Amino acid sequence: MESGEEEYLMLSGIQHFEFCRRQWALIHIEQQWEENVRTVEGKHLHQKADQPFVREKRGDKLTVRAMPVKSDELQITGICDVVEFIRSAEGVEIHGEEGTYKAVPVEYKRGKPKVSDADVLQLAAQALCLEEMLLCEVPTGYLYYNEIKHRLEVELTKEIKQKVKSIAGEMHDYYKRRHTPKVKTGSFCKSCSLLSICLPEVMSKRSVRSYMEGKISE
């Protein structure tokens, strides 16, 4: 499927989409956003990781921070917080480095591990981008959680990667149709950064855009 990169969606949106499809649509289609404690903490946590084009070599490990990645197959693009390239006979060649390396994505998160697999899916999306870009296999990655102060190894199975591909297809369908799902309330609403914009108690049958336009015209 050929198209310009302007039609590519944000890789980070996969996490939003899995958490709540309406939240994803509000951010990526209706362009609504509201900062709260969680988003501010998230930005602070990423500051160290997000240092564009920083490469650090220690022994057999090359660490690349804020690495841009994309997938033409999934039509997504984004930034990996950190990609660790570990020297391995089973790896691939890396420009400017001797030997071969295997790629291991590392995603930084605030809080603690989630019940849902939203974070795992985002990590798997990064792995799929790396696989396509480097022509290699990326079977594992890590999620670092600020609250527990250590990272967890994640097995990136074929099933998880297939789910990412399915979600990416659904995201593109929503985006092309400019479709914002109706509210489906749940306990997760309390931790949503768009709670006051989504208005879940009153927006069951009305889009946020329609609501806001009505308020403006009053």
Side-chain angles (χ1 to χ4, degrees), residues 48-60:
K48 183 176 181 180
D50 291 346
Q51 300 175 28
F53 310 113
V54 172
R55 291 165 59 127
E56 179 183 1
K57 183 73 177 294
R58 290 188 179 182
D60 289 334

Side-chain angles (χ1 to χ4, degrees), residues 60 86-94 97-102:
D60 289 334
I86 313 298
R87 191 158 186 165
S88 170
E90 300 176 354
V92 295
E93 293 183 356
I94 302 297
E97 301 294 335
E98 294 183 359
T100 55
Y101 295 77
K102 61 179 182 180

Side-chain angles (χ1 to χ4, degrees), residues 6 14 21-22 32 39 75 154 178 185 204 212:
E6 66 274 4
I14 287 175
R21 281 157 169 72
R22 179 173 173 81
Q32 304 288 338
T39 59
Q75 295 189 316
V154 179
R178 295 297 189 267
T185 57
S204 297
M212 295 182 73

Side-chain angles (χ1 to χ4, degrees), residues 5-131:
E5 286 191 29
E6 66 274 4
E7 297 180 16
Y8 285 25
L9 297 177
M10 292 177 61
L11 184 155
S12 59
I14 287 175
Q15 180 195 21
H16 298 142
F17 197 84
E18 179 66 12
F19 174 75
C20 174
R21 281 157 169 72
R22 179 173 173 81
Q23 184 202 64
W24 175 84
L26 291 174
I27 295 172
H28 297 271
I29 296 178
E30 298 198 14
Q31 302 294 307
Q32 304 288 338
W33 184 248
E34 180 175 278
E35 286 196 336
N36 64 8
V37 174
R38 291 176 176 81
T39 59
V40 172
E41 286 182 352
K43 283 184 178 180
H44 177 73
L45 178 61
H46 281 73
Q47 282 178 355
K48 183 176 181 180
D50 291 346
Q51 300 175 28
F53 310 113
V54 172
R55 291 165 59 127
E56 179 183 1
K57 183 73 177 294
R58 290 188 179 182
D60 289 334
K61 179 190 293 185
L62 171 66
T63 301
V64 180
R65 303 182 187 279
M67 179 176 172
V69 294
K70 70 171 183 175
S71 167
D72 293 328
E73 177 186 353
L74 303 181
Q75 295 189 316
I76 58 175
T77 183
I79 302 289
C80 290
D81 285 342
V82 170
V83 179
E84 294 179 348
F85 291 94
I86 313 298
R87 191 158 186 165
S88 170
E90 300 176 354
V92 295
E93 293 183 356
I94 302 297
H95 179 71
E97 301 294 335
E98 294 183 359
T100 55
Y101 295 77
K102 61 179 182 180
V104 182
V106 183
E107 177 69 12
Y108 286 72
K109 297 295 181 184
R110 65 165 302 280
K112 55 187 178 181
K114 298 178 177 62
V115 175
S116 75
D117 58 359
D119 292 344
V120 173
L121 291 168
Q122 183 179 356
L123 188 67
Q126 295 176 2
L128 285 168
C129 289
L130 290 169
E131 288 181 345

Side-chain angles (χ1 to χ4, degrees), residues 78-182:
I79 302 289
C80 290
D81 285 342
V82 170
V83 179
E84 294 179 348
F85 291 94
I86 313 298
R87 191 158 186 165
S88 170
E90 300 176 354
V92 295
E93 293 183 356
I94 302 297
H95 179 71
E97 301 294 335
E98 294 183 359
T100 55
Y101 295 77
K102 61 179 182 180
V104 182
V106 183
E107 177 69 12
Y108 286 72
K109 297 295 181 184
R110 65 165 302 280
K112 55 187 178 181
K114 298 178 177 62
V115 175
S116 75
D117 58 359
D119 292 344
V120 173
L121 291 168
Q122 183 179 356
L123 188 67
Q126 295 176 2
L128 285 168
C129 289
L130 290 169
E131 288 181 345
E132 185 176 324
M133 293 170 63
L134 302 175
L135 302 178
C136 66
E137 293 293 325
V138 182
T140 60
Y142 290 92
L143 289 169
Y144 177 90
Y145 289 96
N146 192 49
E147 189 169 318
I148 61 176
K149 300 300 183 184
H150 72 266
R151 63 188 193 177
L152 304 176
E153 184 174 5
V154 179
E155 182 182 2
L156 302 173
T157 65
K158 291 182 179 179
E159 290 75 19
I160 291 173
K161 291 174 181 176
Q162 185 56 49
K163 185 174 181 180
V164 170
K165 294 178 180 180
S166 176
I167 286 175
E170 194 174 351
M171 285 165 55
H172 278 288
D173 177 63
Y174 278 34
Y175 193 81
K176 289 176 182 177
R177 295 190 289 121
R178 295 297 189 267
H179 172 62
T180 299
K182 295 179 181 179

